[in-house]
RNA sequence: GCCGAGGUAGCUCAGUUGGCAGAGCACAGCCCUGAAAAGGCUGGUGUCGACAGUUCGAUUCUGUCCCUCGGCA
């Protein structure tokens, strides 16, 4: 079933979010089978080709019969970012709608999910040369110098950003440099106000302790599957540790070990710790994202039962859309594509 | 049983010549508009082993007891 064809005027999208290792990917495969649709990843790391174990991509077996999109889009030394993700994802969603299927977005990259559901402001694309220049300046004169510069051209952004937050200070300066307009004014007029779809947002969570245990187990499993060899292979191919792709969890810590910065046990400890911290940051992000229906998973809960629960939520969601469409037709209003559901 | 060392945060430990208890790690809370698994900010969570004594005031000094680790029996 898909059901999206009976809700004329709406563009429904089901989105499953949650912290790393909560169990999103496995659930996604089962859900996609039941919905006869495809999995659209919202994951800033799985876009890199050749980075499979460390990003915990679904295995070929898991992907058999269930197409996965928005994975393996670029090589590790290519730039990728939220804007590129959005440009790649929107056509996939449109295509599925055209085929009468319900798009299923699954991922833990909060910003990517947000760019789909609420848009991305019309800022200029990243300019690597200019960024490198600013980075050099930060090294020479300290990060505070960049922040002082920002205070001159965009006092609002400067007030919002901590002087040490180099990445975001550089982006704000870049926007002003390319556009002659402060980033803050662009944000203000955008405000994440777009509503291109009618989403059902499902957040998966677990008790903190259980989640942390799953993270440790998953890291151990990744190591058993050959994470060290995967990282070594990337370094041998000439990919630099400073690449954004290799600064991700797993790659950063194992590359440090391979370069002799620390011992193996220490690298594993740090990887587990950093992954726990990451999961915590994800929870902070999603907690304040509006409209998420939270589903707390019990440790002994079977995958079949979880799928049933989520399917019930999806059916109710679609039924609600049907009623809403009827009401709107009766009252003679034009149904705008993008009525808020949350 | 005797002798010695110790008991302070979740862990390892520092410290108070008697005056609101502090480091690292661990952890918790938060920010985020083309780097987002990135980047950044904030926070000490405590019956100082227990009971009694001295004192205006004891985690600190004294006594008794309990526990841990060594050594000797």
């Amino acid at each position: 079933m898909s059901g999206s064809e009976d809700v004329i005027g709406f563009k429904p999208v089901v989105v499953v979010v949650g912290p790393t290792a909560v169990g999103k990917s496995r659930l996604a495969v089962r859900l996609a089978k039941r919905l006869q649709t495809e999995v659209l990843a919202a994951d800033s790391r799985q876009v890199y080709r050749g980075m499979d174990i460390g990003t915990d991509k679904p295995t070929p077996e898991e992907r058999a019969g269930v197409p996965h999109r928005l994975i393996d889009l670029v090589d590790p030394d290519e730039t990728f970012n939220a804007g590129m993700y959005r440009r790649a994802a929107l056509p996939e969603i449109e295509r599925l709608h055209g085929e009468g299927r319900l798009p299923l977005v699954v991922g833990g990259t909060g910003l990517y999910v947000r760019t789909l559901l609420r848009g991305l402001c019309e800022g200029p694309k990243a300019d690597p040369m200019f960024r490198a220049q600013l980075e050099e300046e930060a090294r020479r004169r300290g990060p505070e110098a960049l922040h002082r510069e920002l205070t001159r051209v965009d006092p609002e952004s400067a007030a919002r950003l901590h002087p040490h937050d180099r990445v975001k200070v550089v982006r704000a300066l870049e926007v002003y440099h390319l556009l002659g307009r402060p980033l803050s004014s662009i944000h203000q007029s955008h405000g994440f106000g777009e509503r291109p779809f009618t989403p059902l947002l499902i957040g998966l969570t677990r008790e903190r302790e259980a989640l942390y245990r799953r993270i440790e187990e998953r890291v151990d499993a990744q190591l058993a599957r050959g994470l060290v060899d995967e990282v070594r292979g990337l370094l041998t191919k000439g990919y630099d540790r400073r690449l954004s792709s290799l600064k991700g969890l797993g790659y950063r810590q194992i590359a440090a070990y391979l370069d002799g910065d620390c011992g193996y046990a220490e690298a594993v400890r740090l990887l587990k710790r950093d992954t726990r911290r990451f999961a915590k940051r994800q929870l902070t992000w999603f907690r304040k994202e509006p409209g998420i229906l939270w589903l707390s998973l019990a440790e002994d809960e079977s995958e079949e039962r979880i799928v049933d629960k989520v399917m019930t939520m999806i059916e109710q969601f679609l039924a609600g859309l049907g009623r809403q469409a009827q009401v709107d037709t009766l009252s003679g209003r034009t149904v705008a594509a993008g009525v808020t559901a949350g």
Side-chain angles (χ1 to χ4, degrees), chain A residues 102-122:
Chain A
L102 183 59
L104 175 62
V105 177
V106 179
T109 303
L111 180 62
Y112 286 13
V113 170
R114 190 184 280 179
T115 67
L116 293 185
L117 302 183
R118 297 160 66 192
L120 187 66
C121 68
E122 289 290 327

Side-chain angles (χ1 to χ4, degrees), chain A residues 12 31 37 42 47 55 57 66 70 216 248 282 295 299 323 329:
Chain A
L31 271 183
T37 188
V47 300
T55 64
K57 277 180 203 162
V66 178
L70 305 171
E216 307 226 333
Q282 287 177 300
L295 196 58
E299 262 186 278
R323 277 195 301 279
T329 307

Side-chain angles (χ1 to χ4, degrees), chain A residues 57-78:
Chain A
K57 277 180 203 162
T59 61
E61 299 85 67
E62 285 170 321
R63 286 196 245 177
V66 178
H68 281 63
R69 311 291 178 193
L70 305 171
I71 282 177
D72 294 333
L73 301 179
V74 296
D75 286 324
D77 56 353
E78 293 181 85

Side-chain angles (χ1 to χ4, degrees), chain A residues 1-10 12 100 315 317-326 329:
Chain A
M1 63 145 276
S2 83
S4 63
E5 56 273 297
D6 12 288
V7 285
I8 301 125
F10 291 92
E315 278 154 20
F317 164 69
L318 293 174
L321 286 188
R323 277 195 301 279
Q324 187 65 46
Q326 257 180 341
T329 307

Side-chain angles (χ1 to χ4, degrees), chain A residues 3-13 93 97-98 100-103 195-199 317-329 333-341:
Chain A
S4 63
E5 56 273 297
D6 12 288
V7 285
I8 301 125
F10 291 92
K11 294 182 176 177
V13 175
I93 294 176
H97 278 146
R101 295 180 208 270
L102 183 59
R195 295 291 183 275
F197 307 113
T198 304
F317 164 69
L318 293 174
L321 286 188
R323 277 195 301 279
Q324 187 65 46
Q326 257 180 341
V327 168
D328 288 337
T329 307
R333 281 197 288 133
T334 310
V335 180
V339 175
T340 320

